[in-house]
Structures are given as structure tokens and as C-alpha cells.
Amino acid sequence: AGGGQAPAMVVIPAGSFAMGTGARKVTVETPFAIGIYEVTRGDWTRYATATGRALPPAREGETDQHPIDRVSYEDASAYAAWLSDQTGARYRLPSATEWEYAARAGTATAYPGGDDTAGVCTAGNVADAALAKRYRSYETVACDDGQIRAAPVGQYAPNRWGLHDVIGNVGEWTASCWDSPPGSPPANASACESRTVRGGSWDTAAT
């Protein structure tokens, strides 16, 4: 149909991992596909133009390659439904379990580069030395990712499964209720009042 090219995806294999700070073992029984990049302003512009939905104004310096932000859970869900209509495939938001499993990509460390924050700036755009030059009151990590605010997608090293920006840049909606226990499937539309956001953003010191 008229929606243009669908986002690039990668298939995540089934498997088990230790989820969250409680390190509870959780099994993802079915492979699933997830977007390689965060949804961009360009992606959202095509959707907004086709559907009449609002396009949040760009911040200073933002381009079509920057991630879209300031969209609600309902907006994000509607975008996934629109992609389904446009392509004939089934798109939806991941559960918090699926998101964390894909983001960890088989690792067990606190961060992509290890258990301390030294390597975080190679994997994502977080609150760091660059941000501290403008926002001196923010808690920051002791590295420099070169960006003060959000960066164009795909600028940092991907994780082992080829996903970019799972650390920082902008937070990402999931389909899980904020208080869902580890391993819970995506919640239906009326199951909860608030949803889980994962990944942190450009102003988050550690995620």
C-alpha cells in the first residue's frame, strides 16, 4: 500500500536469560523480529502524513534520521497497527521481556561493554561528558559519546544481535504494564494504566 518501505528488522532467536535486577531466569519461547533502529522522524513523518496524526515539532538540529520522541503509548501502538495494515505482516510493540532479551543479546553484564560504565559511550548516547558541558546539574557517566542531545539513529556500535541504540538516545515503549512480573506477555489494550519504557535516553546516566 502507500506506506513506503517497512523498517529494517532482525530476527531474535528463542532462548533464556536472567532478567532485571533480581536476575530471574526467563525463557523466550518463540523467535520474534524487532527493529534494528529506533523509529526515526522520517518514519513517523510518512505515517503522520498518511494518517493525519500529529508530528511532534523537531528540536534544534533534528533531522529525519533522528529518533522520534514525545509520542504516547497509544501513538506507538497505532504506528505498529498502521505498519501491519500497510505490509500485511503483524507488527506490535515488544513486551518488556522481549525488549530486554533482545537488548542483552546473550550477555549477562550490566552494560554492553561490561559491568561498569566505562564502555557505555561506544554503545549508546547517554548522559556523559558532552552533555555535562551544557547541563551541569545532570548526573553523568565518565565517558564522552560526542552528543549533547539525541543523535541520529545507528551512530553507535550495535549489540551482538545487530540492534542499535538499545542504550540511551530515546526511551522506547513496550507493551507491558509498568508493574508486570518478568516473563509476562504483552498486555492487551485495557490491561493497565501505564506501560513500561525501556532503554533510557540521552539524559540518562545509566540504564
Side-chain angles (χ1 to χ4, degrees), residues 9-89:
M9 312 283 282
V10 65
V11 175
I12 305 300
S16 298
F17 74 114
M19 183 176 180
T21 55
R24 175 180 173 180
K25 185 177 180 180
V26 174
T27 298
V28 175
E29 296 182 350
T30 305
F32 61 96
I34 196 167
I36 294 174
Y37 305 105
E38 295 167 318
V39 177
T40 66
R41 288 191 61 84
D43 295 330
W44 197 266
T45 298
R46 288 187 288 274
Y47 163 61
T49 300
T51 63
R53 211 168 187 94
L55 176 65
R59 291 191 171 100
E60 177 185 357
E62 286 186 339
T63 69
D64 280 355
Q65 294 306 308
H66 280 76
I68 192 68
D69 65 352
R70 292 169 291 165
V71 298
S72 68
Y73 168 79
E74 289 74 19
D75 290 334
S77 295
Y79 173 67
W82 178 76
L83 286 175
S84 299
D85 290 340
Q86 294 295 296
T87 64

Side-chain angles (χ1 to χ4, degrees), residues 37 65 121-124 145 147 151-158 164-165 169:
Y37 305 105
Q65 294 306 308
C121 288
T122 65
D145 60 35
Q147 293 284 339
V153 302
Q155 299 298 298
Y156 300 92
H164 289 267
D165 302 310
N169 222 22

Side-chain angles (χ1 to χ4, degrees), residues 14-206:
S16 298
F17 74 114
M19 183 176 180
T21 55
R24 175 180 173 180
K25 185 177 180 180
V26 174
T27 298
V28 175
E29 296 182 350
T30 305
F32 61 96
I34 196 167
I36 294 174
Y37 305 105
E38 295 167 318
V39 177
T40 66
R41 288 191 61 84
D43 295 330
W44 197 266
T45 298
R46 288 187 288 274
Y47 163 61
T49 300
T51 63
R53 211 168 187 94
L55 176 65
R59 291 191 171 100
E60 177 185 357
E62 286 186 339
T63 69
D64 280 355
Q65 294 306 308
H66 280 76
I68 192 68
D69 65 352
R70 292 169 291 165
V71 298
S72 68
Y73 168 79
E74 289 74 19
D75 290 334
S77 295
Y79 173 67
W82 178 76
L83 286 175
S84 299
D85 290 340
Q86 294 295 296
T87 64
R90 184 190 174 211
Y91 286 82
R92 61 170 174 82
L93 298 180
S95 69
T97 298
E98 290 168 333
W99 188 97
E100 184 172 335
Y101 176 63
R104 286 187 175 278
T107 64
T109 54
Y111 306 99
D115 284 323
D116 59 47
T117 59
V120 169
C121 288
T122 65
N125 176 23
V126 297
D128 67 321
L131 178 140
K133 295 173 185 176
R134 180 179 294 182
Y135 302 103
R136 296 183 179 180
S137 64
Y138 282 43
E139 179 185 354
T140 59
V141 295
C143 58
D144 190 335
D145 60 35
Q147 293 284 339
I148 295 175
R149 296 181 67 93
V153 302
Q155 299 298 298
Y156 300 92
N159 71 9
R160 292 182 181 182
W161 288 342
L163 302 181
H164 289 267
D165 302 310
V166 294
I167 297 292
N169 222 22
V170 297
E172 297 163 7
W173 286 110
T174 78
S176 294
C177 303
W178 71 269
D179 56 352
S180 294
S184 298
N188 64 37
S190 60
C192 54
E193 294 184 359
S194 59
R195 305 281 169 158
T196 302
V197 177
R198 302 302 301 269
S201 63
W202 57 269
D203 59 355
T204 305

